[in-house]
Amino acid sequence: MITLGEYIIKNQAEYPSASGELSSLLSSIRRAAKVVNREINRAGLVTDIIGGSAGSDNIQGEAQQKLDVFANDVFKAALEARGEVCGIASEEEDYFVGFDDERQCNAKYIVLMDPLDGSSNIDVNVSVGTIFSIYRRVSEPGQPVTIDDFLQPGVNQIAAGYVVYGSSTMLVYTTGNGVHGFTYDPTLGSFCLSHENIRIPEQGHIYSINEGNYIRFPEGVKQYLKFCQEKDDATRRPYTSRYIGSLVSDFHRNMLKGGIYIYPSGTNSPNGKLRLLYECNPLAFMAEQAGGKATDGFRRIMEIKPTELHQRTPYFIGSCNMVDKAGEMMIEHSAE
């Protein structure tokens, strides 16, 4: 049985120029995930953690849950402590956070994260997750980080991953050499290799979308949903609809079983709900490394140049054939 720590060390030769810093950074994320996992598992017993709103909103105007704030603080502290990160940006922070002591100003990496995706599901014991993305800084080492360090396109990512806190807790990541999953064994206190070199099936039979917003969907999305629901024995349609409402959980299932996740424009969020930097880019990197695709309906997600930290985008991600088919219908009906 190979632990995550052992696997990271074994494969750190993938990045010889990192001199071990990237491995140490991933270890910091691993430790923070164990702390958050512990609190999520205790949430129903601890009244100062469970109970919904923390009494504040994030910059997107969404009510923060107490565990949102807790997870953000845990990951931020873990990343600051080791000295490999010069700054972070988080869905729960209004602006990026620079770590400004001498060692950290010379660090090579910045991290963007959604500390607790799907946190509104905690009170009903539904899976939630953490998403992270790692870039090499573009500003001069030795100087404080700048906004340009964080507004990089997804193609510049050197690592990305997520943790899904569910019936079992898994940490899944890529450094650009495949996607690998590790399941947490609480008896050992370690993440152990359980899914090496994950591949998304080219064609799945699951679609994940909040159909309650159907009336406002673009015509291309409506037509794709009709396609998914039509009976056709040759293509095993109709497909199965599965929507958890936690992006990490929906993506994780579709990556293992094959499927497509869609959060389009035309909902209560005109530009889509999901954040390009904290959610879409890291999962797009993982999808592509696993043989899948991610677009905004027209463009490859990882080629979009960000213009703001909390930028939103429509999102189509999953099995190649399904994303391609949805894209064809988006283009066909784009003028309607």
Side-chain angles (χ1 to χ4, degrees):
M1 185 177 294
I2 301 175
T3 67
L4 175 59
E6 292 167 343
Y7 195 84
I8 289 171
I9 292 170
K10 174 185 173 184
N11 291 280
Q12 69 180 19
E14 294 172 1
Y15 284 93
S17 62
S19 304
E21 295 107 323
L22 182 59
S23 299
S24 180
L25 197 168
L26 290 169
S27 294
S28 297
I29 292 171
R30 173 193 62 189
R31 282 192 297 275
K34 290 163 69 172
V35 174
V36 172
N37 176 68
R38 181 193 66 199
E39 294 306 309
I40 289 172
N41 287 338
R42 296 174 63 231
L45 301 173
V46 184
T47 56
D48 61 343
I49 288 292
I50 200 68
S53 176
S56 59
D57 293 347
N58 61 24
I59 193 171
Q60 294 88 25
E62 299 165 336
Q64 291 177 308
Q65 306 295 310
K66 292 178 181 178
L67 271 172
D68 283 321
V69 178
F70 176 82
N72 187 68
D73 290 345
V74 167
F75 276 96
K76 182 165 64 172
L79 292 167
E80 183 177 12
R82 292 296 290 266
E84 285 82 18
V85 178
C86 54
I88 63 104
S90 166
E91 184 174 312
E92 303 303 329
E93 301 277 353
D94 292 354
Y95 203 56
F96 70 80
V97 178
F99 302 145
D100 294 332
D101 70 21
E102 182 177 353
R103 180 184 177 193
Q104 290 154 331
C105 277
N106 282 287
K108 298 177 181 178
Y109 303 107
I110 59 103
V111 175
L112 298 103
M113 61 182 178
D114 180 353
L116 203 60
D117 170 73
S119 58
S120 62
N121 282 323
I122 290 171
D123 287 0
V124 292
N125 203 26
V126 172
S127 298
V128 295
T130 295
I131 308 173
F132 63 89
S133 182
I134 302 170
Y135 293 77
R136 189 179 292 272
R137 71 186 298 176
V138 295
S139 60
E140 189 69 27
Q143 302 297 317
V145 289
T146 71
I147 187 64
D148 289 337
D149 290 310
F150 298 92
L151 297 183
Q152 299 187 56
V155 291
N156 289 358
Q157 292 173 100
I158 62 168
Y162 62 83
V163 185
V164 58
Y165 310 100
S167 55
S168 61
T169 296
M170 283 189 66
L171 189 154
V172 186
Y173 83 100
T174 183
T175 54
N177 290 276
V179 176
H180 313 294
F182 298 79
T183 299
Y184 185 63
D185 184 341
T187 64
L188 298 176
S190 299
F191 286 94
C192 300
L193 180 64
S194 55
H195 297 71
E196 189 170 21
N197 197 27
I198 297 170
R199 303 297 295 174
I200 300 177
E202 289 186 5
Q203 175 64 53
H205 300 92
I206 297 171
Y207 68 96
S208 307
I209 189 170
N210 183 357
E211 293 185 76
N213 291 316
Y214 180 88
I215 193 68
R216 294 187 292 269
F217 285 162
E219 188 60 30
V221 173
K222 291 180 179 179
Q223 293 302 315
Y224 181 70
L225 293 182
K226 290 179 180 177
F227 169 82
C228 291
Q229 294 162 359
E230 289 171 351
K231 181 172 176 54
D232 183 78
D233 292 339
T235 56
R236 292 176 55 191
R237 287 182 286 146
Y239 298 151
T240 299
S241 175
R242 292 285 185 269
Y243 185 74
I244 297 170
S246 170
L247 172 61
V248 167
S249 301
D250 279 311
F251 174 75
H252 181 68
R253 179 200 56 242
N254 290 353
M255 183 165 68
L256 295 179
K257 294 189 173 184
I260 185 171
Y261 176 96
I262 302 173
Y263 205 110
S265 60
T267 65
N268 292 329
S269 304
N271 297 318
K273 181 182 179 182
L274 302 178
R275 287 77 177 178
L276 176 63
L277 294 177
Y278 311 119
E279 298 165 315
C280 300
N281 271 336
L283 296 187
F285 186 21
M286 300 187 74
E288 292 191 5
Q289 283 294 310
K293 281 191 174 182
T295 75
D296 66 354
F298 303 97
R299 300 175 292 172
R300 182 187 179 203
I301 281 290
M302 292 210 299
E303 292 179 350
I304 298 173
K305 178 66 173 75
T307 57
E308 55 186 86
L309 281 176
H310 298 284
Q311 183 172 334
R312 300 176 190 253
T313 181
Y315 204 38
F316 298 69
I317 187 169
S319 297
C320 275
N321 292 350
M322 301 180 82
V323 174
D324 285 345
K325 184 67 174 179
E328 290 171 9
M329 292 187 171
M330 288 294 291
I331 292 170
E332 181 182 350
H333 297 279
S334 60
E336 297 180 15

